[in-house]
Amino acid sequence: MEIEIYADEIITPKDFNNCTRNFIGIGCLFVPVSKKQNILSSLINSRCLFESNGSWVWEPDQCPSSITNGGICKNQWHQQNMCEIHHTELRNSRSSNSQREISKKWLNYLIENNIRDRKEIYFNILFVDLDTLQIENFGTQKVHENIYNKFFRTVIHYGVKSFFGNKNVTIKKVFHDKGSMENHGYFPYLNLMKLDLDLGKYGLIEDKEIAFIDSDHRNYLRESNDLLEESHLIQLIDLLIGSITQNIYYLSDDRLKKELAMIVRPLVNRLLESPSNPNSSYNYYQRQHIGFFPKYSLENATYFLDTLSHEQFENYKKGNIYTNRKMEMPSYDPKQTNLSLW
């Protein structure tokens, strides 16, 4: 079985009370090559907000709904629908209608995919608690990047083993959103070499250089179409991480962020409470996972992360990655009238 992996992260965010929440969130989307075009078609076609049309074209004059072809879609509407979907930038007060509606359609696509058991969306998200990990043990230089580097392999390893453990898996390519890890000393080139050895019987990595990709697909439309479609998968994992994190850590009191979080909330709730339920109507077992590390405080983190052998460390992580955690964001009804308006 051939897969591609698309990764993104959230590092030491602040909540709406301007309090730093001390964690790193690492998310990977595992895309079976045989399902890739189905996923991309669903994401890209969601950009067309004319329900009667339902398919997207990159050039406005090629759209059957455009004014030039006898329709009513204006060029400026088409350009708005070309927007990048980036969870951090989504705000009720400043997001366009295109950003709102496309984000909702993408998250509803995830839920529909699960309920209809299409077996298209596989993801693993791990939150590393830096307070429990005792970050002071890691020195002062690029601390977050170094920790991220170590647990990035964990997220991929767990996903491959848990989602595709009974298949002969070949990881064709690993893509990562552009950011600080692009300039890390050995993350782009050596990390996957180490992971390839760790995977053993569970799979192999064909291309061991991580490709950093711009999540704004418009840049590829202007320069090169090589990664135009793939950038949508980076946008998708970004939206998933953001919406899931919002439920768990309640980082924002923004109405739009809460509304988006509520779309995935039933799935998040089940992943936290019953991650191993094979009979759930949401069909997430061995396809989607949310974990937290460590369960217990690490007083000597350097020893555990640097000194233990791979086998010892893997066994230690198994007992310290947990899923059962309450969501901090209260349930939200977007239709409920805000009393402050009265």
Side-chain angles (χ1 to χ4, degrees), residues 57-320:
V57 294
W58 296 110
E59 299 298 332
D61 59 2
Q62 297 176 4
C63 177
S65 298
S66 68
I67 291 178
T68 56
N69 292 321
I72 60 173
C73 183
K74 300 178 181 179
N75 283 358
Q76 59 264 38
W77 296 348
H78 190 276
Q79 293 303 321
Q80 288 176 6
N81 293 349
M82 283 277 283
C83 60
E84 177 188 11
I85 302 301
H86 189 23
H87 188 269
T88 301
E89 302 301 322
L90 294 174
R91 295 286 190 281
N92 187 60
S93 60
R94 69 183 187 213
S95 293
S96 67
N97 181 66
S98 297
Q99 291 172 315
R100 296 167 186 267
E101 294 306 314
I102 294 169
S103 297
K104 292 175 186 178
K105 289 174 78 170
W106 282 13
L107 293 177
N108 279 311
Y109 158 66
L110 163 68
I111 300 302
E112 181 183 3
N113 170 82
N114 280 29
I115 292 176
R116 295 194 177 188
D117 200 17
R118 291 176 178 165
K119 302 179 178 67
E120 292 180 349
I121 305 296
Y122 299 78
F123 67 78
N124 184 24
I125 298 175
L126 177 65
F127 294 99
V128 181
D129 186 334
L130 299 179
D131 288 331
T132 308
L133 193 62
Q134 298 194 16
I135 192 174
E136 63 272 12
N137 288 307
F138 289 89
T140 59
Q141 299 296 319
K142 293 188 175 183
V143 175
H144 294 84
E145 289 86 348
N146 290 336
I147 295 173
Y148 182 88
N149 184 70
K150 294 178 184 296
F151 286 98
F152 180 74
R153 293 195 300 271
T154 297
V155 174
I156 296 179
H157 189 281
Y158 181 93
V160 170
K161 181 178 178 180
S162 300
F163 303 156
F164 316 107
N166 61 342
K167 300 177 176 66
N168 185 16
V169 175
T170 297
I171 300 174
K172 300 289 290 183
K173 189 70 179 176
V174 176
F175 298 89
H176 197 290
D177 191 19
K178 285 181 174 290
S180 60
M181 297 309 297
E182 191 171 3
N183 300 313
H184 190 275
Y186 60 88
F187 180 83
Y189 306 102
L190 301 181
N191 215 353
L192 296 185
M193 294 183 185
K194 177 68 165 62
L195 178 61
D196 190 47
L197 295 174
D198 294 345
L199 284 173
K201 66 179 181 179
Y202 293 105
L204 61 89
I205 302 175
E206 189 171 281
D207 188 338
K208 298 179 181 61
E209 180 179 349
I210 296 174
F212 290 89
I213 182 172
D214 194 331
S215 60
D216 191 344
H217 59 280
R218 294 170 296 187
N219 292 330
Y220 296 108
L221 189 64
R222 290 191 292 264
E223 300 171 3
S224 168
N225 288 336
D226 289 349
L227 296 171
L228 177 63
E229 293 186 336
E230 282 77 3
S231 61
H232 282 74
L233 296 170
I234 291 292
Q235 292 178 61
L236 177 61
I237 187 61
D238 172 272
L239 182 63
L240 291 180
I241 295 172
S243 300
I244 290 171
T245 303
Q246 170 68 14
N247 273 296
I248 297 171
Y249 290 98
Y250 197 19
L251 296 182
S252 175
D253 200 39
D254 180 77
R255 178 177 176 176
L256 178 58
K257 287 188 184 293
K258 291 190 290 186
E259 187 173 353
L260 294 173
M262 289 302 297
I263 295 175
V264 298
R265 190 178 181 90
L267 173 60
V268 175
N269 184 60
R270 287 164 173 79
L271 285 170
L272 297 183
E273 292 188 353
S274 304
S276 300
N277 179 9
N279 300 314
S280 173
S281 61
Y282 278 75
N283 297 299
Y284 53 78
Y285 178 59
Q286 293 183 335
R287 298 177 201 169
Q288 296 154 4
H289 183 263
I290 302 171
F292 305 86
F293 180 91
K295 186 174 184 179
Y296 306 105
S297 178
L298 290 182
E299 295 182 357
N300 193 344
T302 302
Y303 169 75
F304 282 110
L305 297 182
D306 291 343
T307 307
L308 294 183
S309 68
H310 171 69
E311 182 178 359
Q312 290 174 315
F313 183 45
E314 288 300 310
N315 289 333
Y316 177 80
K317 285 189 298 187
K318 288 177 184 177
N320 266 277

